[in-house]
Amino acid sequence: MVNIIVIILVIIAYMAGMVEIGRRLSKRNKSTDDFYLGGRKLGPFVTAMSAEASDMSSWLLMGLPGVALAGLTGGNGTFAEAFWTAAGLALGTYMNWLIVAKPIRIYSEHIHANTIPDFFSNRYQEKKGVLLALSAIIIVVFFVPYTASGFASVGKLFNSMFGINYHTAMILGAIVIAVYTTLGGFLAASTTDLIQSIIMTIALIVVLFYSLSCGGGFSESIAQTEDVSNYFSLNGPDHSFSLLTIFSSFAWGLGYFGMPHILLRFMAIEDDRKLKMSRRIATVWVVISMGVAILIGVIGYSFAQAKGLIGQANFDPERIIIYISSALGKINPFTAILAGLILSGILASQMSTSDSQMLAASSSMSENLIHHFFWKDMPQNKQMTAARLTVLLITVIGIFFAWNPNSSVFRIISFAWAGFGASFGPLVLFSLFWKRTTLQGAAAGIISGGIMVFVWKFGISKLGGIFAIYELLPAFLVSCLFIVVVSLLTPEPSKEITDAFDEVKSKLKNRYE
């Protein structure tokens, strides 16, 4: 009983700390520019770690280990799927920082864009706000289930550890996230993301070593996986992964080019010359953390066997870190503190993504829809109020979508990831690097990419065979095709647009020299 109280106190202290950070930083929000981009004052370390913490989410501590472990327990997952997905994300992380971060930082400031919809709209100097509305709608549509997956993870965590009702825990977690995000805005989200990335790292390390000790060491833990034929084969058990399937899993990396909450970090760094440092920090952390997460899933098999978890009716591979921390917390008060930190790490992974998604979705609704279309002369204080109210509204909608306790964190996030990657990813690249892209081509790219994600996921993929691939890959290619074809079939961009493009390129050239 004492150990459980210690664990609860550690988690309460962590959550209270996040709210306090939001309260303190709320005083710095004087405008919506501060609320959504922190006044473009982020340092390189905060930029790197907040971007990756908001990127990894509960997928890192629950989804990825769960997929690796499911391949050993007869669930929906394999080592090959976990490996190729992680490899694609590692490469995507590096390439996103390398080719997108600096251009979008300079371009967004040059055209006075505070959000991704702003960036698209101002880049093509549209008058009617078509791109603004399209991209804002896409953000809301795909961020609601993404945010909901974080709320669901909180519910699963407290339900597994303490037997607390799933819905009660999920709602309380959502409220905490909403409170500090509503108070502190982007600065609070970024600062707490930095802290949360550190806690996530501690959680991964402690879980890894404790699970190894329970499973008899590394060699013994790996040996127990030999019961599953070809488990470590990179083309899947029984060679079920074709080259196309491998490539589609690897294509997770394409999603980075269209992730609003990550792109906003690029736009917010104080000095774009320090992005190289941020890139190195981010890439190293991502590679190591995903590698450890997969290893925990693999080693978790021997732990689950030793604890008699395999075969239980309610055993969930995505909760393996929760099971490990629960066992650790029962030893003594000191290990209970470690267990509390691990559970706080799981909370951190969920909260760091949910707060960023809330801000991105909030900015789309309040700044890009309400302010632009319905109340153009909205006073600054009213804009701040609208921003905070939309965070609360998105929280309520997210709670509704997270109501089912049996939903898979990995599968929910994979769909939302595909939605952003296909809708925005191609357009971000073309907007930064192809001067001939037109407004019509941009709109066609957003629409075709978003629609194809739904069509492929719920229609074409059901045909099986070569069509049973991750929807991001075909949707991304379709969006690219529409952007190119429609742009070439429509009149060239105006001189004002191409001049702005050239000015940004000139600034970039000077930065690299």
Side-chain angles (χ1 to χ4, degrees):
M1 184 64 183
V2 172
N3 292 356
I4 292 178
I5 293 174
V6 170
I7 292 173
I8 293 174
L9 288 176
V10 171
I11 294 174
I12 290 174
Y14 163 75
M15 298 183 82
M18 297 302 101
V19 174
E20 175 61 15
I21 289 172
R23 187 192 69 79
R24 287 178 177 270
L25 292 177
S26 65
K27 300 173 183 177
R28 299 189 188 181
N29 292 317
K30 307 300 182 183
S31 66
T32 51
D33 182 57
D34 292 332
F35 190 78
Y36 290 128
L37 277 184
R40 300 185 194 266
K41 297 175 183 176
L42 292 190
F45 190 74
V46 175
T47 300
M49 297 311 294
S50 67
E52 299 318 314
S54 64
D55 159 29
M56 287 292 109
S57 72
S58 52
W59 181 88
L60 178 67
L61 297 184
M62 295 184 73
L64 188 56
V67 170
L69 178 56
L72 292 165
T73 59
N76 185 15
T78 66
F79 177 82
E81 181 180 8
F83 175 85
W84 289 115
T85 298
L89 288 172
L91 180 61
T93 296
Y94 179 78
M95 295 304 297
N96 202 28
W97 280 97
L98 180 66
I99 67 175
V100 172
K102 188 183 288 284
I104 201 168
R105 168 64 178 86
I106 294 173
Y107 215 144
S108 63
E109 185 176 35
H110 184 79
I111 59 178
H112 309 292
N114 291 333
T115 68
I116 298 304
D118 276 345
F119 173 73
F120 291 146
S121 183
N122 296 356
R123 160 67 174 84
Y124 297 98
Q125 298 182 13
E126 62 169 346
K127 300 295 189 294
K128 296 182 179 180
V130 174
L131 283 182
L132 200 69
L134 281 175
S135 50
I137 291 170
I138 288 289
I139 285 176
V140 173
V141 167
F142 287 110
F143 260 155
V144 166
Y146 211 145
T147 303
S149 71
F151 296 167
S153 298
V154 174
K156 286 185 178 184
L157 168 63
F158 283 98
N159 178 255
S160 298
M161 279 297 299
F162 310 115
I164 299 174
N165 178 270
Y166 166 83
H167 297 109
T168 301
M170 183 265 292
I171 292 172
L172 288 175
I175 290 173
V176 170
I177 298 170
V179 167
Y180 78 73
T181 304
T182 302
L183 287 173
F186 188 84
L187 280 175
S190 299
T191 304
T192 53
D193 286 351
L194 171 62
I195 297 170
Q196 288 157 352
S197 67
I198 295 171
I199 295 176
M200 288 160 66
T201 303
I202 294 172
L204 285 169
I205 293 171
V206 173
V207 166
L208 176 62
F209 283 100
Y210 178 67
S211 58
L212 280 172
S213 67
C214 291
F218 183 79
S219 299
E220 180 63 25
S221 298
I222 297 299
Q224 292 188 42
T225 65
E226 294 176 356
D227 296 339
V228 179
S229 176
N230 295 319
Y231 172 70
F232 287 106
S233 171
L234 294 184
N235 60 347
D238 302 320
H239 307 291
S240 57
F241 265 50
S242 65
L243 186 61
L244 181 60
T245 306
I246 291 173
F247 194 66
S248 76
S249 295
F250 197 74
W252 267 76
L254 294 174
Y256 276 110
F257 301 125
M259 292 299 126
H261 53 301
I262 299 174
L263 298 174
L264 284 175
R265 263 62 183 184
F266 299 161
M267 293 163 60
I269 192 168
E270 183 175 20
D271 186 353
D272 61 86
R273 294 177 179 85
K274 295 180 180 178
L275 281 166
K276 180 183 290 187
M277 182 189 303
S278 297
R279 180 177 75 238
R280 291 170 177 170
I281 295 170
T283 305
V284 169
W285 187 83
V286 163
V287 170
I288 293 175
S289 62
M290 287 196 298
V292 172
I294 293 175
L295 187 57
I296 288 172
V298 174
I299 293 171
Y301 181 64
S302 61
F303 170 87
Q305 282 190 320
K307 298 298 182 181
L309 298 174
I310 302 295
Q312 290 186 5
N314 61 346
F315 177 71
D316 182 356
E318 286 193 342
R319 302 188 189 196
I320 186 60
I321 290 184
I322 298 176
Y323 299 140
I324 293 171
S325 58
S326 176
L328 178 64
K330 294 175 182 177
I331 299 175
N332 57 53
F334 175 73
T335 59
I337 293 175
L338 292 178
L341 286 174
I342 294 169
L343 296 175
S344 295
I346 298 175
L347 279 174
S349 69
Q350 297 146 7
M351 296 168 74
S352 61
T353 300
S354 295
D355 56 22
S356 299
Q357 293 162 351
M358 283 179 176
L359 279 175
S362 167
S363 65
S364 296
M365 290 183 67
S366 63
E367 185 80 0
N368 303 133
L369 293 178
I370 298 174
H371 183 201
H372 184 84
F373 289 100
F374 303 107
W375 195 352
K376 292 184 181 293
D377 57 347
M378 184 187 297
Q380 192 66 238
N381 64 325
K382 298 294 184 183
Q383 291 181 40
M384 290 294 297
T385 301
R388 287 174 166 137
L389 287 176
T390 49
V391 168
L392 298 178
L393 175 61
I394 289 163
T395 302
V396 173
I397 299 173
I399 289 173
F400 174 78
F401 274 86
W403 204 252
N404 180 11
N406 297 317
S407 57
S408 167
V409 172
F410 184 89
R411 303 301 164 190
I412 293 174
I413 290 176
S414 71
F415 178 69
W417 187 269
F420 285 122
S423 300
F424 291 162
L427 183 54
V428 166
L429 295 175
F430 279 99
S431 296
L432 295 174
F433 301 110
W434 193 37
K435 184 163 61 174
R436 181 64 175 80
T437 311
T438 65
L439 171 62
Q440 296 87 339
I446 291 177
I447 295 171
S448 61
I451 290 176
M452 183 53 66
V453 167
F454 283 94
V455 171
W456 199 279
K457 173 72 174 179
F458 300 108
I460 297 176
S461 66
K462 305 300 182 184
L463 299 175
I466 62 172
F467 299 107
I469 60 175
Y470 185 30
E471 58 271 17
L472 172 56
L473 178 58
F476 191 96
L477 296 175
V478 166
S479 179
C480 289
L481 179 64
F482 268 79
I483 291 172
V484 172
V485 172
V486 174
S487 291
L488 292 176
L489 292 176
T490 50
E492 294 186 7
S494 67
K495 187 176 185 303
E496 289 79 10
I497 294 176
T498 56
D499 283 348
F501 184 93
D502 290 335
E503 288 170 12
V504 171
K505 287 300 177 186
S506 178
K507 287 184 179 180
L508 269 171
K509 184 179 179 180
N510 293 334
R511 292 289 204 282
Y512 284 117
E513 289 179 347

